Amino acid sequence: MKPRRWRWAFSNRLAIGSALIFASFANAQQNSPTLPSRPVFYVHGRIYTNDPAHPWAAAMSVRDGKIVCIGTIAHVMLDCGGGAEGAETVQLREAFVMPGFNDAHVHLGSAGADMLRIRLNGVPSIEDLQKRVASAVAEHQEGEWIVGSGWDHTFWPDRKFPNRQQLDVVAPSNPVLLTHISGHVAVANSLALKLAGIDKSTANPSGGVIERDGNGDATGMLEEGSAMALAEMKIPEVAGDQRRRGIEMVLTDLAKNGVTSVQDNSEWEDFLVYQELKQEGKLTVRITEWLPFATDLDVLQNLRSEGGVSDPWLKTGALKMVTDGALGSRTAAMLAPYSDDGSTSGLMTIEPEKLRAMAIERDKAGFQLAFHAIGDRANRVALDVFEAVAKANGPRDRRDRIEHAQVVAPEDFARFGQLRVIASMQPSHQTTDMRWAEQRIGPERIKGAYAWATLQKSGARLAFGTDYDVEPISPFRGLYACVTRELPDGGPKLGWEAQEKISLGDCIRAYTTGAAYAQFEEGRKGELKAGEYADFLILSNDLTKIPASQYTKTKLQRTVVGGRIVYTAP
Protein backbone atom coordinates (compact mmCIF):
# COMPACT_ATOMS: atom_id res chain seq x y z
CA MET A 1 0.00 0.00 0.00
CA LYS A 2 2.92 2.32 0.60
CA PRO A 3 3.03 5.06 -2.07
CA ARG A 4 6.36 6.28 -3.35
CA ARG A 5 7.09 9.96 -3.76
CA TRP A 6 9.79 10.69 -6.33
CA ARG A 7 11.32 13.68 -4.63
CA TRP A 8 13.46 15.19 -7.36
CA ALA A 9 12.92 16.99 -10.65
CA PHE A 10 13.17 14.32 -13.31
CA SER A 11 13.57 16.61 -16.27
CA ASN A 12 16.40 18.61 -14.71
CA ARG A 13 18.28 15.58 -13.41
CA LEU A 14 17.91 13.76 -16.70
CA ALA A 15 19.02 16.75 -18.73
CA ILE A 16 22.16 17.04 -16.63
CA GLY A 17 23.08 13.42 -16.25
CA SER A 18 21.41 11.28 -18.89
CA ALA A 19 24.56 10.70 -20.91
CA LEU A 20 26.52 9.60 -17.85
CA ILE A 21 23.71 7.38 -16.59
CA PHE A 22 23.25 5.80 -20.01
CA ALA A 23 26.94 4.98 -20.15
CA SER A 24 26.83 3.36 -16.73
CA PHE A 25 23.80 1.29 -17.73
CA ALA A 26 25.45 0.19 -20.94
CA ASN A 27 28.38 -1.01 -18.83
CA ALA A 28 26.00 -2.66 -16.36
CA GLN A 29 24.51 -4.80 -19.11
CA GLN A 30 27.92 -6.44 -19.42
CA ASN A 31 28.10 -7.26 -15.71
CA SER A 32 25.65 -9.78 -14.31
CA PRO A 33 26.20 -11.42 -10.94
CA THR A 34 28.78 -14.16 -11.34
CA LEU A 35 27.04 -17.44 -12.14
CA PRO A 36 28.53 -20.89 -11.59
CA SER A 37 29.66 -22.25 -14.96
CA ARG A 38 30.22 -25.87 -13.93
CA PRO A 39 27.19 -28.17 -13.79
CA VAL A 40 25.64 -28.88 -10.41
CA PHE A 41 23.46 -31.96 -9.89
CA TYR A 42 20.85 -31.89 -7.11
CA VAL A 43 19.75 -35.45 -6.37
CA HIS A 44 17.60 -37.48 -3.98
CA GLY A 45 15.20 -34.63 -3.28
CA ARG A 46 11.47 -34.13 -3.14
CA ILE A 47 11.32 -31.42 -5.78
CA TYR A 48 8.02 -29.58 -6.17
CA THR A 49 8.32 -28.27 -9.73
CA ASN A 50 5.13 -26.20 -9.85
CA ASP A 51 4.76 -27.56 -13.41
CA PRO A 52 1.24 -29.07 -13.68
CA ALA A 53 2.41 -31.51 -16.35
CA HIS A 54 5.21 -32.92 -14.16
CA PRO A 55 4.63 -31.75 -10.59
CA TRP A 56 7.37 -33.77 -8.86
CA ALA A 57 10.98 -34.69 -9.54
CA ALA A 58 13.83 -36.35 -7.65
CA ALA A 59 16.78 -34.63 -9.29
CA MET A 60 17.80 -31.70 -11.45
CA SER A 61 20.93 -30.28 -13.03
CA VAL A 62 21.86 -26.60 -13.15
CA ARG A 63 24.38 -24.79 -15.31
CA ASP A 64 24.99 -21.16 -16.32
CA GLY A 65 22.16 -19.95 -14.13
CA LYS A 66 19.44 -22.16 -15.62
CA ILE A 67 17.90 -25.56 -15.09
CA VAL A 68 19.28 -27.90 -17.75
CA CYS A 69 17.56 -31.14 -16.84
CA ILE A 70 14.96 -32.27 -14.28
CA GLY A 71 13.17 -35.55 -13.57
CA THR A 72 14.13 -38.93 -12.18
CA ILE A 73 17.61 -39.52 -10.79
CA ALA A 74 18.35 -41.99 -13.58
CA HIS A 75 17.33 -39.50 -16.26
CA VAL A 76 19.26 -36.57 -14.80
CA MET A 77 22.42 -38.50 -14.02
CA LEU A 78 22.56 -40.79 -17.06
CA ASP A 79 21.11 -38.58 -19.78
CA CYS A 80 22.31 -35.17 -18.64
CA GLY A 81 25.99 -35.73 -17.90
CA GLY A 82 26.01 -36.63 -14.22
CA GLY A 83 29.45 -37.63 -13.00
CA ALA A 84 31.23 -35.66 -15.74
CA GLU A 85 34.58 -34.14 -14.87
CA GLY A 86 34.15 -30.89 -12.96
CA ALA A 87 30.51 -31.54 -12.09
CA GLU A 88 29.30 -31.10 -8.52
CA THR A 89 26.68 -33.30 -6.91
CA VAL A 90 24.51 -32.08 -4.02
CA GLN A 91 22.75 -34.73 -1.96
CA LEU A 92 19.36 -33.33 -0.98
CA ARG A 93 18.58 -36.20 1.40
CA GLU A 94 14.84 -36.03 0.58
CA ALA A 95 14.68 -32.31 1.40
CA PHE A 96 11.76 -30.35 -0.03
CA VAL A 97 12.73 -28.11 -2.96
CA MET A 98 10.44 -25.53 -4.58
CA PRO A 99 10.67 -22.51 -6.90
CA GLY A 100 11.82 -19.24 -5.36
CA PHE A 101 9.13 -16.72 -4.49
CA ASN A 102 8.48 -13.82 -6.85
CA ASP A 103 7.04 -11.02 -4.71
CA ALA A 104 4.75 -9.03 -7.00
CA HIS A 105 4.66 -5.86 -4.89
CA VAL A 106 7.45 -4.47 -2.70
CA HIS A 107 9.07 -1.17 -1.71
CA LEU A 108 12.75 -2.00 -1.32
CA GLY A 109 13.91 1.61 -1.19
CA SER A 110 11.61 2.66 1.61
CA ALA A 111 12.34 -0.64 3.39
CA GLY A 112 16.03 0.24 3.23
CA ALA A 113 15.38 3.74 4.54
CA ASP A 114 13.25 2.32 7.32
CA MET A 115 16.10 0.03 8.33
CA LEU A 116 17.99 3.20 9.31
CA ARG A 117 15.08 5.01 10.99
CA ILE A 118 12.98 4.59 14.12
CA ARG A 119 11.09 1.33 13.76
CA LEU A 120 7.62 1.70 15.25
CA ASN A 121 6.09 -1.60 14.14
CA GLY A 122 4.07 -3.17 16.93
CA VAL A 123 4.24 -0.16 19.26
CA PRO A 124 1.29 -0.86 21.61
CA SER A 125 0.34 2.67 22.67
CA ILE A 126 0.95 6.37 22.09
CA GLU A 127 3.00 6.38 25.31
CA ASP A 128 5.35 3.75 23.91
CA LEU A 129 5.62 5.71 20.67
CA GLN A 130 6.57 8.80 22.68
CA LYS A 131 9.28 6.82 24.47
CA ARG A 132 10.76 5.71 21.13
CA VAL A 133 10.80 9.31 19.90
CA ALA A 134 12.36 10.55 23.15
CA SER A 135 15.14 7.97 22.80
CA ALA A 136 15.80 9.16 19.26
CA VAL A 137 15.89 12.79 20.41
CA ALA A 138 18.64 11.88 22.88
CA GLU A 139 20.72 10.56 19.96
CA HIS A 140 20.15 13.55 17.65
CA GLN A 141 21.39 17.11 17.74
CA GLU A 142 18.87 19.91 18.19
CA GLY A 143 17.19 20.75 14.89
CA GLU A 144 17.91 17.39 13.21
CA TRP A 145 14.97 15.59 11.67
CA ILE A 146 13.63 12.50 13.40
CA VAL A 147 11.90 10.17 10.96
CA GLY A 148 10.19 6.89 11.69
CA SER A 149 7.53 4.55 10.38
CA GLY A 150 5.42 1.50 11.14
CA TRP A 151 3.04 2.71 13.86
CA ASP A 152 -0.47 1.27 13.76
CA HIS A 153 -3.08 3.02 15.93
CA THR A 154 -5.47 0.06 15.63
CA PHE A 155 -3.27 -1.71 18.20
CA TRP A 156 -3.70 1.13 20.71
CA PRO A 157 -6.36 1.14 23.44
CA ASP A 158 -8.23 4.19 22.09
CA ARG A 159 -7.47 3.48 18.40
CA LYS A 160 -7.05 7.22 17.76
CA PHE A 161 -4.57 8.89 15.46
CA PRO A 162 -1.71 10.68 17.27
CA ASN A 163 -1.35 14.47 17.08
CA ARG A 164 1.38 17.10 16.99
CA GLN A 165 1.05 18.01 20.67
CA GLN A 166 1.85 14.43 21.71
CA LEU A 167 5.07 14.62 19.69
CA ASP A 168 5.90 18.16 20.86
CA VAL A 169 6.06 16.96 24.46
CA VAL A 170 9.02 14.69 23.73
CA ALA A 171 10.54 16.51 20.74
CA PRO A 172 10.13 20.29 21.10
CA SER A 173 13.33 21.18 19.23
CA ASN A 174 13.52 18.50 16.53
CA PRO A 175 11.20 18.24 13.54
CA VAL A 176 9.47 14.83 13.61
CA LEU A 177 7.60 12.94 10.90
CA LEU A 178 6.29 9.43 11.62
CA THR A 179 4.60 7.43 8.86
CA HIS A 180 1.75 4.99 9.49
CA ILE A 181 2.26 1.29 8.70
CA SER A 182 0.10 1.70 5.56
CA GLY A 183 2.32 4.46 4.20
CA HIS A 184 -0.76 6.56 3.44
CA VAL A 185 -0.84 8.87 6.45
CA ALA A 186 1.79 10.42 8.72
CA VAL A 187 1.93 12.53 11.85
CA ALA A 188 4.20 15.58 12.18
CA ASN A 189 5.07 17.66 15.20
CA SER A 190 4.69 21.45 15.32
CA LEU A 191 8.25 22.18 14.21
CA ALA A 192 7.93 19.86 11.21
CA LEU A 193 4.65 21.54 10.23
CA LYS A 194 6.31 24.96 10.53
CA LEU A 195 9.23 23.93 8.33
CA ALA A 196 6.76 22.53 5.81
CA GLY A 197 4.92 25.86 5.73
CA ILE A 198 1.69 24.34 7.00
CA ASP A 199 -0.57 26.72 8.94
CA LYS A 200 -4.22 27.76 9.05
CA SER A 201 -4.04 29.28 5.60
CA THR A 202 -2.50 26.25 3.88
CA ALA A 203 -4.97 24.67 1.47
CA ASN A 204 -5.27 20.91 1.10
CA PRO A 205 -3.06 19.77 -1.79
CA SER A 206 -4.72 17.93 -4.65
CA GLY A 207 -5.39 14.33 -3.59
CA GLY A 208 -4.42 14.91 0.05
CA VAL A 209 -5.77 16.22 3.34
CA ILE A 210 -4.25 18.28 6.15
CA GLU A 211 -6.32 17.23 9.14
CA ARG A 212 -7.52 20.15 11.29
CA ASP A 213 -9.10 20.59 14.68
CA GLY A 214 -12.21 22.62 15.50
CA ASN A 215 -10.21 25.85 15.38
CA GLY A 216 -8.80 25.16 11.93
CA ASP A 217 -5.30 24.38 13.22
CA ALA A 218 -3.42 21.41 11.80
CA THR A 219 -3.56 18.41 14.13
CA GLY A 220 -0.32 17.03 12.70
CA MET A 221 -2.00 14.28 10.67
CA LEU A 222 -1.21 14.41 6.95
CA GLU A 223 -3.30 12.14 4.77
CA GLU A 224 -2.06 10.73 1.45
CA GLY A 225 1.08 11.37 -0.54
CA SER A 226 0.56 14.95 -1.64
CA ALA A 227 -0.06 16.12 1.94
CA MET A 228 2.76 14.03 3.40
CA ALA A 229 5.11 15.34 0.72
CA LEU A 230 4.81 18.87 2.10
CA ALA A 231 6.84 17.70 5.10
CA GLU A 232 8.86 15.01 3.37
CA MET A 233 10.34 17.52 0.92
CA LYS A 234 12.00 19.28 3.84
CA ILE A 235 13.81 16.17 5.08
CA PRO A 236 17.45 16.11 3.93
CA GLU A 237 18.24 13.52 1.26
CA VAL A 238 19.66 10.23 2.48
CA ALA A 239 23.41 10.09 1.83
CA GLY A 240 24.39 7.64 -0.91
CA ASP A 241 26.36 5.36 1.41
CA GLN A 242 23.46 5.20 3.86
CA ARG A 243 21.00 4.44 1.08
CA ARG A 244 23.19 1.58 -0.10
CA ARG A 245 23.66 0.27 3.45
CA GLY A 246 19.91 0.11 3.97
CA ILE A 247 19.34 -1.63 0.64
CA GLU A 248 22.04 -4.20 1.38
CA MET A 249 20.27 -4.98 4.66
CA VAL A 250 17.02 -5.42 2.73
CA LEU A 251 18.61 -7.79 0.20
CA THR A 252 19.82 -9.93 3.10
CA ASP A 253 16.26 -9.97 4.43
CA LEU A 254 14.92 -11.12 1.05
CA ALA A 255 17.48 -13.90 0.62
CA LYS A 256 16.88 -15.40 4.07
CA ASN A 257 13.13 -15.44 3.38
CA GLY A 258 13.34 -17.21 0.03
CA VAL A 259 12.47 -14.29 -2.22
CA THR A 260 14.32 -14.61 -5.52
CA SER A 261 12.48 -11.98 -7.60
CA VAL A 262 10.65 -8.76 -6.78
CA GLN A 263 8.55 -6.16 -8.55
CA ASP A 264 9.61 -2.97 -6.86
CA ASN A 265 8.22 0.53 -6.38
CA SER A 266 11.12 2.72 -5.23
CA GLU A 267 12.92 5.92 -6.16
CA TRP A 268 15.27 6.21 -9.12
CA GLU A 269 18.21 6.75 -6.77
CA ASP A 270 17.45 3.31 -5.33
CA PHE A 271 17.48 1.83 -8.82
CA LEU A 272 20.94 3.31 -9.34
CA VAL A 273 22.08 1.52 -6.18
CA TYR A 274 20.71 -1.76 -7.54
CA GLN A 275 22.62 -1.05 -10.73
CA GLU A 276 25.84 -0.53 -8.72
CA LEU A 277 25.33 -3.81 -6.92
CA LYS A 278 24.68 -5.59 -10.21
CA GLN A 279 27.88 -4.18 -11.70
CA GLU A 280 29.78 -5.51 -8.70
CA GLY A 281 28.17 -8.94 -8.95
CA LYS A 282 26.43 -8.44 -5.59
CA LEU A 283 22.78 -8.38 -6.61
CA THR A 284 21.08 -11.35 -4.96
CA VAL A 285 17.53 -10.92 -6.26
CA ARG A 286 15.99 -10.20 -9.67
CA ILE A 287 14.41 -6.73 -9.66
CA THR A 288 11.82 -5.24 -11.98
CA GLU A 289 11.42 -1.56 -11.15
CA TRP A 290 8.13 0.25 -11.66
CA LEU A 291 8.14 3.83 -12.89
CA PRO A 292 5.87 6.65 -11.61
CA PHE A 293 2.75 6.88 -13.79
CA ALA A 294 2.18 10.60 -13.13
CA THR A 295 5.58 11.66 -14.50
CA ASP A 296 5.75 13.31 -17.94
CA LEU A 297 5.61 10.77 -20.75
CA ASP A 298 8.88 11.85 -22.36
CA VAL A 299 10.67 11.40 -19.04
CA LEU A 300 9.13 7.95 -18.61
CA GLN A 301 10.32 6.95 -22.06
CA ASN A 302 13.85 8.13 -21.21
CA LEU A 303 13.81 6.17 -17.96
CA ARG A 304 12.57 3.07 -19.73
CA SER A 305 15.29 3.43 -22.35
CA GLU A 306 18.03 3.93 -19.78
CA GLY A 307 16.83 1.31 -17.32
CA GLY A 308 16.13 -1.29 -19.97
CA VAL A 309 13.31 -3.81 -20.21
CA SER A 310 15.03 -7.12 -20.86
CA ASP A 311 17.93 -7.72 -18.46
CA PRO A 312 17.18 -10.86 -16.38
CA TRP A 313 18.50 -9.26 -13.18
CA LEU A 314 17.50 -5.61 -13.32
CA LYS A 315 15.07 -3.73 -15.56
CA THR A 316 12.12 -1.35 -15.63
CA GLY A 317 8.51 -2.50 -15.82
CA ALA A 318 4.99 -1.17 -15.26
CA LEU A 319 3.87 2.36 -14.49
CA LYS A 320 2.50 2.59 -10.95
CA MET A 321 -0.24 5.02 -9.92
CA VAL A 322 -1.73 5.33 -6.43
CA THR A 323 -5.41 6.14 -7.01
CA ASP A 324 -6.68 6.07 -3.42
CA GLY A 325 -5.55 5.56 0.16
CA ALA A 326 -5.80 2.76 2.70
CA LEU A 327 -8.65 1.10 4.55
CA GLY A 328 -7.05 1.47 7.98
CA SER A 329 -6.81 5.24 7.67
CA ARG A 330 -10.26 5.51 6.00
CA THR A 331 -8.67 7.09 2.93
CA ALA A 332 -9.47 4.19 0.59
CA ALA A 333 -12.07 5.45 -1.89
CA MET A 334 -15.42 3.77 -1.24
CA LEU A 335 -18.70 3.91 -3.16
CA ALA A 336 -20.56 4.66 0.09
CA PRO A 337 -19.48 6.15 3.44
CA TYR A 338 -17.53 4.12 5.95
CA SER A 339 -19.64 2.10 8.37
CA ASP A 340 -17.72 3.41 11.39
CA ASP A 341 -17.49 7.02 10.15
CA GLY A 342 -20.36 8.18 7.98
CA SER A 343 -18.68 11.53 7.36
CA THR A 344 -16.21 10.13 4.84
CA SER A 345 -16.05 7.81 1.85
CA GLY A 346 -12.29 8.13 1.53
CA LEU A 347 -10.64 9.95 -1.34
CA MET A 348 -9.37 9.54 -4.87
CA THR A 349 -5.90 10.98 -5.38
CA ILE A 350 -6.63 11.84 -9.03
CA GLU A 351 -9.74 12.76 -10.98
CA PRO A 352 -10.99 9.74 -12.97
CA GLU A 353 -11.18 11.74 -16.20
CA LYS A 354 -7.55 12.81 -15.86
CA LEU A 355 -6.51 9.26 -14.99
CA ARG A 356 -8.29 7.97 -18.10
CA ALA A 357 -6.64 10.48 -20.45
CA MET A 358 -3.17 9.83 -19.03
CA ALA A 359 -3.69 6.06 -19.13
CA ILE A 360 -4.69 6.11 -22.80
CA GLU A 361 -1.59 8.15 -23.64
CA ARG A 362 0.79 5.92 -21.68
CA ASP A 363 -0.76 2.70 -22.92
CA LYS A 364 -0.39 3.94 -26.50
CA ALA A 365 3.33 4.40 -25.76
CA GLY A 366 3.50 0.68 -24.87
CA PHE A 367 3.61 0.88 -21.08
CA GLN A 368 1.99 -1.65 -18.76
CA LEU A 369 -0.29 0.03 -16.20
CA ALA A 370 -0.53 -0.84 -12.49
CA PHE A 371 -3.07 1.06 -10.38
CA HIS A 372 -3.11 0.92 -6.59
CA ALA A 373 -6.80 0.55 -5.68
CA ILE A 374 -8.02 -0.38 -2.20
CA GLY A 375 -11.64 0.78 -1.98
CA ASP A 376 -14.52 -0.45 -4.15
CA ARG A 377 -14.82 2.95 -5.83
CA ALA A 378 -11.11 3.03 -6.69
CA ASN A 379 -11.32 -0.50 -8.08
CA ARG A 380 -14.31 0.43 -10.22
CA VAL A 381 -12.55 3.53 -11.53
CA ALA A 382 -9.48 1.45 -12.37
CA LEU A 383 -11.59 -1.10 -14.26
CA ASP A 384 -13.43 1.70 -16.10
CA VAL A 385 -10.10 3.23 -17.13
CA PHE A 386 -8.68 -0.09 -18.35
CA GLU A 387 -11.85 -0.67 -20.37
CA ALA A 388 -11.56 2.81 -21.91
CA VAL A 389 -7.89 2.23 -22.72
CA ALA A 390 -8.64 -0.99 -24.61
CA LYS A 391 -11.45 0.69 -26.51
CA ALA A 392 -9.28 3.68 -27.44
CA ASN A 393 -6.07 1.85 -28.37
CA GLY A 394 -7.30 -1.51 -29.61
CA PRO A 395 -6.45 -5.05 -28.53
CA ARG A 396 -2.99 -6.12 -27.36
CA ASP A 397 -1.48 -8.18 -24.54
CA ARG A 398 -1.55 -5.42 -21.90
CA ARG A 399 -1.71 -7.28 -18.60
CA ASP A 400 -3.05 -4.25 -16.78
CA ARG A 401 -2.86 -4.69 -13.03
CA ILE A 402 -4.77 -3.58 -9.95
CA GLU A 403 -2.47 -3.51 -6.97
CA HIS A 404 -4.26 -4.73 -3.81
CA ALA A 405 -7.82 -5.06 -5.27
CA GLN A 406 -8.74 -5.09 -1.62
CA VAL A 407 -12.47 -4.27 -1.63
CA VAL A 408 -14.43 -4.99 -4.81
CA ALA A 409 -18.15 -4.42 -5.41
CA PRO A 410 -19.94 -7.71 -6.30
CA GLU A 411 -20.89 -6.51 -9.79
CA ASP A 412 -17.25 -5.72 -10.59
CA PHE A 413 -15.68 -9.14 -9.96
CA ALA A 414 -16.55 -10.50 -13.39
CA ARG A 415 -14.94 -7.49 -15.06
CA PHE A 416 -11.47 -8.60 -13.94
CA GLY A 417 -11.75 -11.71 -16.09
CA GLN A 418 -13.55 -9.98 -18.93
CA LEU A 419 -10.89 -7.25 -19.16
CA ARG A 420 -8.01 -9.64 -18.37
CA VAL A 421 -6.95 -7.49 -15.45
CA ILE A 422 -4.41 -8.99 -13.04
CA ALA A 423 -5.35 -8.91 -9.36
CA SER A 424 -2.02 -8.23 -7.62
CA MET A 425 -2.82 -8.96 -3.98
CA GLN A 426 -1.12 -9.46 -0.63
CA PRO A 427 -2.65 -12.24 1.52
CA SER A 428 -0.97 -11.07 4.72
CA HIS A 429 -2.99 -7.82 4.53
CA GLN A 430 -6.09 -9.88 5.26
CA THR A 431 -4.50 -11.36 8.37
CA THR A 432 -3.44 -7.93 9.60
CA ASP A 433 -6.68 -6.15 8.74
CA MET A 434 -9.23 -8.71 9.92
CA ARG A 435 -9.10 -7.24 13.44
CA TRP A 436 -10.90 -4.09 12.29
CA ALA A 437 -11.81 -4.30 8.57
CA GLU A 438 -15.44 -5.31 9.11
CA GLN A 439 -15.92 -2.35 11.44
CA ARG A 440 -14.74 -0.06 8.67
CA ILE A 441 -17.06 -1.27 5.90
CA GLY A 442 -19.71 -3.49 7.50
CA PRO A 443 -20.77 -7.14 7.11
CA GLU A 444 -22.04 -6.90 3.52
CA ARG A 445 -19.17 -5.06 1.87
CA ILE A 446 -16.63 -7.22 3.69
CA LYS A 447 -17.75 -10.13 1.51
CA GLY A 448 -16.04 -8.36 -1.38
CA ALA A 449 -12.79 -7.90 0.51
CA TYR A 450 -9.58 -9.92 0.12
CA ALA A 451 -11.63 -12.13 -2.21
CA TRP A 452 -8.99 -14.40 -3.73
CA ALA A 453 -11.32 -17.28 -4.54
CA THR A 454 -14.00 -15.10 -6.11
CA LEU A 455 -11.47 -13.23 -8.24
CA GLN A 456 -9.87 -16.49 -9.34
CA LYS A 457 -13.26 -17.92 -10.30
CA SER A 458 -14.00 -14.74 -12.27
CA GLY A 459 -11.07 -15.54 -14.54
CA ALA A 460 -8.67 -13.03 -13.01
CA ARG A 461 -4.99 -13.93 -12.81
CA LEU A 462 -3.71 -13.69 -9.24
CA ALA A 463 -0.23 -12.35 -8.50
CA PHE A 464 0.75 -12.42 -4.84
CA GLY A 465 3.23 -10.39 -2.83
CA THR A 466 3.69 -8.81 0.56
CA ASP A 467 3.77 -5.01 0.11
CA TYR A 468 7.05 -5.16 2.04
CA ASP A 469 7.83 -3.28 4.21
CA VAL A 470 4.20 -2.52 5.02
CA GLU A 471 4.12 -6.23 5.87
CA PRO A 472 7.06 -8.53 6.65
CA ILE A 473 8.69 -10.02 3.56
CA SER A 474 8.06 -13.66 4.58
CA PRO A 475 6.03 -15.45 1.87
CA PHE A 476 5.32 -18.26 4.34
CA ARG A 477 3.22 -15.82 6.34
CA GLY A 478 1.30 -15.09 3.14
CA LEU A 479 0.79 -18.79 2.38
CA TYR A 480 -0.63 -19.27 5.87
CA ALA A 481 -3.06 -16.38 5.39
CA CYS A 482 -4.03 -17.59 1.93
CA VAL A 483 -4.85 -21.15 3.02
CA THR A 484 -6.38 -20.47 6.46
CA ARG A 485 -7.64 -16.85 6.62
CA GLU A 486 -6.87 -17.05 10.32
CA LEU A 487 -4.90 -14.94 12.78
CA PRO A 488 -1.26 -15.94 13.33
CA ASP A 489 -2.17 -17.70 16.57
CA GLY A 490 -5.25 -19.32 15.06
CA GLY A 491 -8.93 -18.43 14.72
CA PRO A 492 -11.57 -17.65 13.91
CA LYS A 493 -12.52 -21.29 13.54
CA LEU A 494 -12.56 -22.34 9.87
CA GLY A 495 -11.27 -18.89 8.90
CA TRP A 496 -12.62 -15.37 8.39
CA GLU A 497 -14.90 -15.25 5.31
CA ALA A 498 -13.74 -18.81 4.71
CA GLN A 499 -15.34 -19.01 1.27
CA GLU A 500 -12.37 -16.99 -0.03
CA LYS A 501 -9.70 -19.56 0.88
CA ILE A 502 -7.80 -21.12 -1.99
CA SER A 503 -5.62 -24.22 -2.09
CA LEU A 504 -1.94 -24.33 -1.22
CA GLY A 505 -1.12 -25.12 -4.84
CA ASP A 506 -3.06 -22.05 -6.03
CA CYS A 507 -1.37 -19.90 -3.38
CA ILE A 508 2.10 -21.02 -4.44
CA ARG A 509 1.26 -20.47 -8.10
CA ALA A 510 0.09 -16.92 -7.36
CA TYR A 511 3.42 -16.26 -5.58
CA THR A 512 5.47 -17.75 -8.43
CA THR A 513 4.03 -18.28 -11.93
CA GLY A 514 1.22 -15.77 -11.33
CA ALA A 515 3.69 -13.09 -10.35
CA ALA A 516 5.91 -14.04 -13.30
CA TYR A 517 2.95 -13.70 -15.70
CA ALA A 518 2.18 -10.27 -14.23
CA GLN A 519 5.59 -9.07 -15.45
CA PHE A 520 5.61 -10.93 -18.79
CA GLU A 521 8.12 -13.52 -17.52
CA GLU A 522 6.17 -16.77 -17.67
CA GLY A 523 8.31 -19.57 -19.02
CA ARG A 524 11.43 -17.98 -17.53
CA LYS A 525 10.77 -18.31 -13.82
CA GLY A 526 8.21 -19.62 -11.38
CA GLU A 527 8.57 -23.30 -12.26
CA LEU A 528 11.42 -25.77 -11.99
CA LYS A 529 11.70 -27.02 -15.54
CA ALA A 530 14.38 -27.16 -18.20
CA GLY A 531 15.22 -23.75 -19.61
CA GLU A 532 13.92 -21.69 -16.68
CA TYR A 533 16.10 -19.75 -14.27
CA ALA A 534 17.64 -21.85 -11.50
CA ASP A 535 15.86 -19.89 -8.75
CA PHE A 536 14.84 -22.29 -6.01
CA LEU A 537 14.63 -22.97 -2.28
CA ILE A 538 15.54 -25.90 -0.06
CA LEU A 539 13.28 -26.11 3.00
CA SER A 540 13.23 -28.01 6.26
CA ASN A 541 9.61 -29.12 5.78
CA ASP A 542 7.55 -30.41 2.87
CA LEU A 543 4.83 -27.76 2.67
CA THR A 544 2.47 -30.23 0.99
CA LYS A 545 2.59 -32.59 3.97
CA ILE A 546 2.46 -30.33 7.02
CA PRO A 547 -0.54 -28.47 8.52
CA ALA A 548 -0.85 -24.82 7.54
CA SER A 549 -0.10 -23.80 11.12
CA GLN A 550 3.48 -24.99 10.51
CA TYR A 551 4.12 -22.91 7.37
CA THR A 552 5.55 -19.95 9.27
CA LYS A 553 7.75 -22.28 11.32
CA THR A 554 9.35 -23.80 8.24
CA LYS A 555 13.09 -23.18 8.14
CA LEU A 556 14.77 -22.11 4.94
CA GLN A 557 17.98 -24.08 4.45
CA ARG A 558 19.18 -22.56 1.20
CA THR A 559 18.19 -19.89 -1.33
CA VAL A 560 19.57 -20.21 -4.86
CA VAL A 561 19.20 -17.50 -7.51
CA GLY A 562 20.51 -18.13 -11.00
CA GLY A 563 22.27 -21.24 -9.72
CA ARG A 564 24.18 -19.16 -7.16
CA ILE A 565 23.70 -19.75 -3.43
CA VAL A 566 22.67 -16.42 -1.87
CA TYR A 567 21.64 -17.74 1.55
CA THR A 568 22.54 -20.77 3.64
CA ALA A 569 21.03 -21.32 7.07
CA PRO A 570 23.58 -20.96 9.90
Side-chain angles (χ1 to χ4, degrees), residues 5 46 98 101 117 124 300 329 522 524 527 535 543:
R5 286 160 289 280
R46 184 166 167 77
M98 67 174 290
F101 289 102
R117 296 173 174 174
L300 291 171
S329 56
E522 72 275 15
R524 297 179 185 173
E527 298 172 314
D535 301 349
L543 296 179

Side-chain angles (χ1 to χ4, degrees), residues 108-418:
L108 300 188
S110 61
D114 289 345
M115 289 283 189
L116 308 176
R117 296 173 174 174
I118 308 175
R119 305 298 298 273
L120 300 171
N121 302 68
V123 170
S125 67
I126 183 62
E127 291 79 16
D128 285 274
L129 181 143
Q130 288 173 311
K131 290 177 183 177
R132 297 274 186 98
V133 173
S135 296
V137 167
E139 297 175 357
H140 285 68
Q141 295 182 7
E142 183 175 318
E144 287 185 335
W145 276 85
I146 294 172
V147 181
S149 65
W151 59 270
D152 184 348
H153 64 295
T154 66
F155 284 117
W156 302 351
D158 62 4
R159 297 194 173 193
K160 292 182 179 179
F161 280 144
N163 57 52
R164 61 182 173 85
Q165 292 91 344
Q166 291 168 322
L167 299 184
D168 292 344
V169 170
V170 291
S173 303
N174 293 81
V176 179
L177 184 70
L178 307 177
T179 305
H180 186 262
I181 183 68
S182 69
H184 285 264
V185 296
V187 61
N189 71 346
S190 296
L191 183 52
L193 293 174
K194 181 179 178 180
L195 292 173
I198 297 174
D199 56 28
K200 277 190 175 183
S201 65
T202 307
N204 286 335
S206 176
V209 173
I210 300 168
E211 186 183 84
R212 303 180 187 281
D213 61 22
N215 298 319
D217 293 314
T219 66
M221 284 299 301
L222 306 173
E223 300 180 359
E224 290 308 315
S226 58
M228 295 160 64
L230 298 175
E232 289 177 329
M233 293 295 287
K234 300 300 179 180
I235 301 171
E237 285 282 354
V238 177
D241 59 339
Q242 291 179 304
R243 184 185 295 271
R244 173 162 170 153
R245 177 170 160 251
I247 288 171
E248 287 176 334
M249 294 167 69
V250 164
L251 294 184
T252 298
D253 204 16
L254 267 59
K256 72 180 184 182
N257 280 282
V259 177
T260 57
S261 288
V262 294
Q263 296 162 50
D264 181 45
N265 186 201
S266 295
E267 297 181 357
W268 192 250
E269 289 96 332
D270 299 315
F271 187 84
L272 296 179
V273 174
Y274 309 152
Q275 181 252 339
E276 269 182 20
L277 292 166
K278 178 177 174 289
Q279 280 184 297
E280 297 168 12
K282 296 179 180 178
L283 200 58
T284 54
V285 65
R286 302 182 194 276
I287 301 175
T288 298
E289 187 63 40
W290 296 338
L291 300 175
F293 173 92
T295 301
D296 289 345
L297 180 58
D298 59 340
V299 175
L300 291 171
Q301 290 171 322
N302 284 336
L303 291 172
R304 176 171 63 178
S305 176
E306 292 170 2
V309 295
S310 60
D311 187 275
W313 286 91
L314 182 62
K315 62 184 177 182
T316 61
L319 302 186
K320 167 76 179 298
M321 177 65 197
V322 176
T323 69
D324 74 338
L327 204 60
S329 56
R330 300 185 188 86
T331 54
M334 303 298 296
L335 293 167
Y338 280 84
S339 299
D340 60 352
D341 185 352
S343 68
T344 182
S345 299
L347 58 91
M348 293 290 298
T349 63
I350 184 172
E351 290 296 323
E353 295 77 14
K354 182 178 180 181
L355 181 67
R356 182 182 300 111
M358 294 176 70
I360 290 171
E361 179 188 51
R362 283 148 179 74
D363 173 85
K364 191 173 183 179
F367 285 102
Q368 182 188 18
L369 306 180
F371 292 168
H372 160 119
I374 299 285
D376 52 9
R377 183 189 176 210
N379 275 281
R380 179 168 294 175
V381 167
L383 292 166
D384 289 344
V385 169
F386 292 149
E387 187 171 7
V389 164
K391 183 176 181 180
N393 293 338
R396 72 177 177 89
D397 187 10
R398 290 182 167 81
R399 306 192 191 184
D400 293 326
R401 305 166 52 139
I402 293 184
E403 303 303 313
H404 310 305
Q406 207 157 300
V407 184
V408 178
E411 56 268 36
D412 287 330
F413 280 117
R415 299 179 69 196
F416 278 81
Q418 292 163 0

